[in-house]
Amino acid sequence: MVETVPPAEDAVPAPYPVAEIAAAWRRERPGTPTESIEIVTPIWRLAKLFADDRNRVLRAAGIDAATLDLLSVIRRSGPPYTLSTREIAQRTLVTAGAISQRVARAERDGLVRRRPGTTGRRTVLVSLTPEGHALIERSVDMVLGREATLVSCLSGPERTSLMELLEKLTVDARRRTTGPPADGG
């Protein structure tokens, strides 16, 4: 007898509908601002789904997120696939200390090579090794291919609209969250 396995979506209970969450807060605490719930909650849920899925893909590819980030930045720079640690930090939005740790670990693993730069004593150049190049080539296809599948339900115009709206929201949220504590406005 062949045992059937239920579809994956049956294994994960549907999340509590965000409209009901917002309505419950309005009922229980009239006047509480709830207009963000139906936007922010799905973003958090999607972020968790995407992060968990990406972590599974990365494990299968044999790479961690920090190493993927490091190797990707260097690979995207084009031949000769070399950047200074300062350039890497700027492009990844990670602190210099974190970059130093990532580079040291990747160098120990044979994925990058460090050498002194020519523009100053403290300049360090980081280059992909053949092993690092091969790993990022395999990994980026797995990660980006999977993520393309995850957004494939959206049409071209829907993707464009969503990208524009997410950019608008990101720019404004960054403006509102950097600086002195917000007063709600």
Side-chain angles (χ1 to χ4, degrees):
M1 179 173 190
V2 176
E3 185 178 330
T4 59
V5 178
E9 55 267 12
D10 289 347
V12 178
Y16 195 74
V18 293
E20 290 182 36
I21 295 170
W25 278 119
R26 285 191 298 272
R27 181 189 69 239
E28 295 299 317
R29 297 206 59 222
T32 296
T34 60
E35 54 275 354
S36 66
I37 291 173
E38 292 178 83
I39 296 169
V40 175
T41 300
I43 290 172
W44 281 112
R45 288 177 178 171
L46 272 172
K48 171 99 171 82
L49 287 170
F50 286 155
D52 290 350
D53 194 76
R54 179 177 263 218
N55 286 332
R56 282 189 294 276
V57 171
L58 291 175
R59 275 193 303 279
I63 191 170
D64 62 77
T67 303
L68 176 76
D69 192 32
L70 172 68
L71 298 183
S72 293
V73 165
I74 298 169
R75 174 61 179 89
R76 288 192 315 263
S77 72
Y81 309 117
T82 301
L83 290 172
S84 71
T85 51
R86 173 173 283 150
E87 290 171 313
I88 295 169
Q90 290 170 342
R91 294 177 188 194
T92 60
L93 304 176
V94 176
T95 66
I99 292 301
S100 181
Q101 291 174 358
R102 289 179 182 188
V103 169
R105 189 174 66 238
E107 187 176 41
R108 276 193 310 274
D109 293 342
L111 304 173
V112 299
R113 186 175 19 259
R114 280 190 282 194
R115 70 179 194 283
T118 57
T119 59
R121 289 186 323 177
R122 295 176 50 175
T123 302
V124 175
L125 298 176
V126 183
S127 303
L128 287 179
T129 63
E131 295 82 6
H133 194 275
L135 178 59
I136 193 58
E137 293 297 303
R138 282 191 318 272
S139 302
V140 78
D141 284 346
M142 290 176 72
V143 170
L144 295 181
R146 176 61 181 167
E147 290 174 355
T149 299
L150 293 176
V151 300
S152 65
C153 67
L154 300 174
S155 69
E158 287 171 329
R159 288 178 196 202
T160 300
S161 290
L162 183 57
M163 288 184 299
E164 290 168 355
L165 291 169
L166 289 171
E167 178 64 17
K168 179 180 181 177
L169 185 58
T170 300
V171 167
D172 192 64
R174 183 175 293 126
R175 180 184 61 80
R176 291 177 188 268
T177 59
T178 55
D183 61 359

